[in-house]
Amino acid sequence: MATIINGKELALSLKQRLAADVATFDAKYGRTPHLVVILVGEDAGSVSYVTGKAKASAEVGLRNTTIRKPDTITEAELLGIIDELNADSEVDGILVQLPLPKHIDSDKVISAISAEKDVDGFHPMNVARLWLKQECTLPCTPKGIIKLLKSAGVEIAGKNVVVIGRSNIVGLPVSKLLLNENATVTIAHSRTKDLADVTRRADILVVAIGRPKFVTADMVKEGAVVIDVGVNRDPETKKLCGDVDFAAVESKASAITPVPGGVGPMTICCLMENTVECFLRKMEKTNG
Ligand code: NAP
């Protein structure tokens, strides 16, 4: 039976540590870090993510403002709000909840956020800095995955890692972070031939595709570490499930993340950490 890598527990202890740091900031810097989340429209998934971010901010002691706008907002109006937040010296982090309505160009919106306040790590400047190995804000989910692996004592250097998925928010950046940790990384995707042959070579398998229970036991090497990023509804039970058939793969893997309670809580926790890091970088700059 695999060890269950408990993201909920790790996220809780990291948030407690962050909260202890944040509690000292008022005395040191005269205020606490301020995260502004912009929510456009009423999509149930987005509303629940934004609520989770506000709750985590409260747990860590961050100031959180949620700006809610109807999905009729124009791109120009949204860009105007971002300009104001960029100029506000008491705003440290800006996050626009994705997806945005179709009439708004998400790339344009993300690029409009100041790279110094881009707590998601999606701004082109932060993406470039990640690939150049320069100081930057790392995207939350990939950052959380590395923390999970390290906390579970998984050795990454020299290992064969297969990442299924090549999205800008998960697959590509987590591949780069794993490469930085000296893994030998293979990126698989929807055009990969003989996917099971590729995945069976993985010592560490990271799955970020968005298909319920897609990875079955025959695709996993005995003793592999499996990180399941997927968040899906099981078509039969309607319950949350990952991209990995947990019940079948658990008996073959040496360690595995559950869904829920694995990668998800770490993503929010890293968002909190990113907000604190943006705040501290700003304070260092202002205080010389
Ligand atoms: P995405 O942008 O839709 O990308 C999915 C990737 O999976 C693509 O690269 C796609 O390949 C690949 N793919 C799709 N079907 C495949 C198949 N049959 N075989 C091999 N590869 C396949 O998704 P994403 O944003 O990366 O998210 C992936 C999943 O992670 C979703 O369930 C999402 O909800 C979840 N997620 C969770 C968190 C968290 O915090 N837990 C955070 C972000 C995302 P192509 O490039 O060839 O199309």
Side-chain angles (χ1 to χ4, degrees), residues 141 164-167 169-171 188-191 195 208-211 214 229-232 243 263-264 267:
T141 304
I164 322 182
R166 55 176 166 179
S167 70
I169 63 165
V170 190
H189 45 77
S190 67
R191 307 286 289 273
L195 182 63
I209 56 184
R211 285 169 196 255
F214 179 87
V229 186
V231 179
N232 313 293
D243 289 343
V263 174
T267 297

Side-chain angles (χ1 to χ4, degrees), residues 127-162:
V127 176
R129 287 181 185 143
L130 161 65
W131 287 87
L132 295 170
K133 268 187 156 176
Q134 295 173 2
E135 187 185 56
C136 64
T137 298
L138 295 175
C140 303
T141 304
K143 186 179 185 181
I145 291 171
I146 301 295
K147 283 183 192 287
L148 275 176
L149 287 169
K150 289 190 172 171
S151 82
V154 176
E155 172 125 18
I156 304 173
K159 292 291 165 63
N160 278 327
V161 178
V162 175

Side-chain angles (χ1 to χ4, degrees), residues 235-274:
E236 282 156 28
T237 64
K238 309 288 172 218
K239 285 189 179 157
L240 270 193
C241 75
D243 289 343
V244 175
D245 184 352
F246 183 89
V249 171
E250 191 195 3
S251 54
K252 213 164 173 196
S254 62
I256 187 168
T257 57
V259 177
V263 174
M266 291 303 296
T267 297
I268 295 204
C269 170
C270 289
L271 174 68
M272 300 298 112
E273 191 179 86
N274 282 354

Side-chain angles (χ1 to χ4, degrees), residues 15-241:
K15 278 189 288 185
Q16 282 167 348
R17 244 185 281 163
L18 264 183
D21 284 348
V22 170
T24 66
F25 290 172
D26 223 354
K28 257 194 235 166
Y29 306 109
R31 65 180 185 85
T32 53
H34 183 194
L35 170 66
V36 178
V37 177
I38 305 174
L39 171 63
V40 177
E42 301 285 336
D43 172 73
S46 294
V47 171
S48 131
Y49 283 130
V50 167
T51 309
K53 286 162 188 174
K55 186 171 161 263
S57 299
E59 284 164 9
V60 171
L62 304 185
R63 186 175 156 203
N64 181 293
T65 304
T66 302
I67 300 177
R68 295 185 73 145
K69 291 288 169 189
D71 59 10
T72 49
I73 189 174
T74 65
E75 186 178 279
E77 281 168 331
L78 184 56
L79 292 172
I81 294 172
I82 291 171
D83 277 349
E84 278 174 28
L85 296 170
N86 283 339
D88 187 336
S89 62
E90 299 223 337
V91 171
D92 306 291
I94 305 168
L95 182 153
V96 178
Q97 185 64 45
L98 300 175
L100 287 169
K102 286 202 171 37
H103 65 277
I104 298 178
D105 180 344
S106 304
D107 287 343
K108 203 165 164 186
V109 169
I110 291 166
S111 299
I113 297 170
S114 148
E116 279 65 43
K117 298 187 180 188
D118 163 41
V119 280
D120 257 339
F122 293 165
H123 188 283
M125 193 57 80
N126 280 316
V127 176
R129 287 181 185 143
L130 161 65
W131 287 87
L132 295 170
K133 268 187 156 176
Q134 295 173 2
E135 187 185 56
C136 64
T137 298
L138 295 175
C140 303
T141 304
K143 186 179 185 181
I145 291 171
I146 301 295
K147 283 183 192 287
L148 275 176
L149 287 169
K150 289 190 172 171
S151 82
V154 176
E155 172 125 18
I156 304 173
K159 292 291 165 63
N160 278 327
V161 178
V162 175
V163 177
I164 322 182
R166 55 176 166 179
S167 70
N168 289 335
I169 63 165
V170 190
L172 282 185
V174 79
S175 301
K176 173 59 175 152
L177 290 182
L178 289 159
L179 190 60
N180 289 356
E181 296 291 334
N182 299 311
T184 302
V185 182
T186 303
I187 306 174
H189 45 77
S190 67
R191 307 286 289 273
T192 297
K193 289 212 168 77
D194 303 322
L195 182 63
D197 276 353
V198 176
T199 57
R200 271 196 294 267
R201 273 179 255 141
D203 303 312
I204 301 170
L205 180 61
V206 180
V207 193
I209 56 184
R211 285 169 196 255
K213 300 181 176 177
F214 179 87
V215 170
T216 45
D218 62 306
M219 296 171 76
V220 177
K221 179 163 100 175
E222 192 81 45
V225 173
V226 180
I227 304 292
D228 188 353
V229 186
V231 179
N232 313 293
R233 287 269 159 213
D234 186 315
E236 282 156 28
T237 64
K238 309 288 172 218
K239 285 189 179 157
L240 270 193
C241 75

